[in-house]
């Protein structure tokens, strides 16, 4: 089994794990009327979409690699998927940044206990997903790297949320919650731009090779 097939299975496991978590959080968010839980479930949905894209790319590569006519384009598919995931991650990070800045100037009441539990559950799910997607960075595979960065970014967001919520709950520092989100967004934006640049360069390089 080559590393593409291995990565295909890994991304499928993470998609299923994230999808189950998303459904559970949305159901309990609706039944308990917890906006925090519902929002986190919808947030999980964005990662199901992004990591699902990575899995679809591996499926496409596996099928197209059986045909000599398309064998030269398989690596481009992975780079394109990584590039697209990078853009999705960047948009997601910018959205969080805007919301966090608004929350900084217009603080709102927070249901601390529920929010902290949700953040901890999200962190655990993302740590498991990161362990599944962990790989050596010697393949130049931007697709698996994109999926890995997605779960790391989500884990970072959860850590920031936990720290901010604890500070707000026990010290009354509501602004720390927004500051943690801003800091997390800045790091995620940096990661996403790096992924976009690297996968974009790979796409250009592959295109030049096919033209020669």
């Amino acid at each position: 089994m080559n590393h593409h097939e291995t990565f295909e299975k890994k991304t499928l496991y993470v998609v299923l794990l994230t999808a189950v978590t998303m459904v559970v959080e949305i159901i309990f968010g609706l039944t308990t009327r917890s906006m925090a839980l519902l929002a986190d479930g919808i947030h999980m949905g964005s990662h199901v979409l992004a990591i699902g894209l990575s899995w679809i790319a591996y499926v496409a590569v596996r099928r197209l690699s059986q045909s000599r006519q398309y064998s030269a384009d398989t690596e481009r598919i992975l780079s394109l998927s990584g590039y697209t995931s990078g853009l999705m991650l960047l948009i997601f990070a910018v959205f969080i940044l805007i919301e966090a800045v608004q929350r900084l100037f217009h603080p709102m009441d927070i249901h601390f206990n529920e929010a902290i539990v949700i953040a901890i559950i999200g962190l655990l799910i993302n740590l498991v997903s990161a362990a599944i997607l962990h790989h050596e960075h010697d393949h130049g595979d931007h697709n698996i790297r994109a999926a890995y960065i997605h779960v790391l970014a989500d884990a970072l967001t959860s850590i920031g949320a936990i720290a901010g919520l604890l500070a707000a709950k026990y010290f009354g520092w509501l602004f720390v919650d927004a500051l943690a989100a801003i800091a997390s967004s800045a790091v995620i934006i940096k990661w996403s731009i790096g992924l976009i640049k690297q996968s974009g360069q790979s796409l250009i390089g592959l295109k030049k090779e096919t033209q020669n």
Side-chain angles (χ1 to χ4, degrees):
M1 181 183 297
N2 59 41
H3 66 273
H4 285 168
E5 293 176 347
T6 300
F7 292 162
E8 178 185 334
K9 289 187 176 181
K10 287 185 175 183
T11 52
L12 177 59
Y13 295 152
V14 172
V15 168
L16 294 176
L17 177 62
T18 308
V20 170
T21 305
M22 174 195 71
V23 172
V24 171
E25 289 189 343
I26 289 178
I27 290 175
F28 277 90
L30 292 172
T31 56
T32 63
R33 298 181 180 179
S34 170
M35 287 303 299
L37 188 55
L38 181 60
D40 199 61
I42 295 173
H43 170 219
M44 278 287 185
S46 68
H47 289 280
V48 172
L49 179 62
I51 301 174
L53 175 64
S54 296
W55 174 70
I56 291 173
Y58 285 123
V59 173
V61 165
R62 175 167 51 81
R63 293 183 178 180
L64 292 177
S65 62
Q66 299 173 357
S67 172
R68 293 183 178 181
Q69 180 180 359
Y70 297 102
S71 60
D73 293 332
T74 56
E75 293 300 327
R76 183 183 297 181
I77 292 174
L78 298 180
S79 295
L80 179 60
S81 176
Y83 185 85
T84 304
S85 292
L87 286 176
M88 293 174 64
L89 189 62
L90 179 61
I91 293 172
F92 166 72
V94 170
F95 175 77
I96 290 181
L97 180 62
I98 294 173
E99 290 293 318
V101 171
Q102 291 179 348
R103 183 67 62 86
L104 186 64
F105 292 100
H106 304 284
M108 298 176 62
D109 292 333
I110 301 173
H111 300 287
F112 294 109
N113 293 334
E114 287 184 352
I116 291 172
V117 170
I118 293 164
I120 291 174
I121 293 174
L123 176 60
L124 293 176
I125 293 297
N126 283 292
L127 290 177
V128 172
S129 298
I132 294 174
L133 293 174
H134 180 71
H135 62 286
E136 298 295 332
H137 300 281
D138 57 353
H139 300 299
D141 190 330
H142 299 292
N143 193 43
I144 191 66
R145 183 167 180 266
Y148 187 60
I149 289 178
H150 266 282
V151 296
L152 286 183
D154 206 15
L156 177 64
T157 302
S158 296
I159 292 173
I162 293 169
L165 288 167
L166 289 174
K169 178 180 179 179
Y170 291 106
F171 298 101
W173 300 340
L174 295 177
F175 64 90
V176 176
D177 180 61
L179 289 179
I182 291 172
S184 298
S185 298
V187 175
I188 296 171
I189 288 173
K190 181 180 179 180
W191 286 351
S192 61
I193 291 175
L195 177 61
I196 291 170
K197 286 183 178 179
Q198 291 183 8
S199 56
Q201 289 171 357
S202 179
L203 278 171
I204 294 173
L206 285 169
K207 188 177 293 187
K208 289 181 178 179
E209 289 177 6
T210 56
Q211 289 175 347
N212 291 335

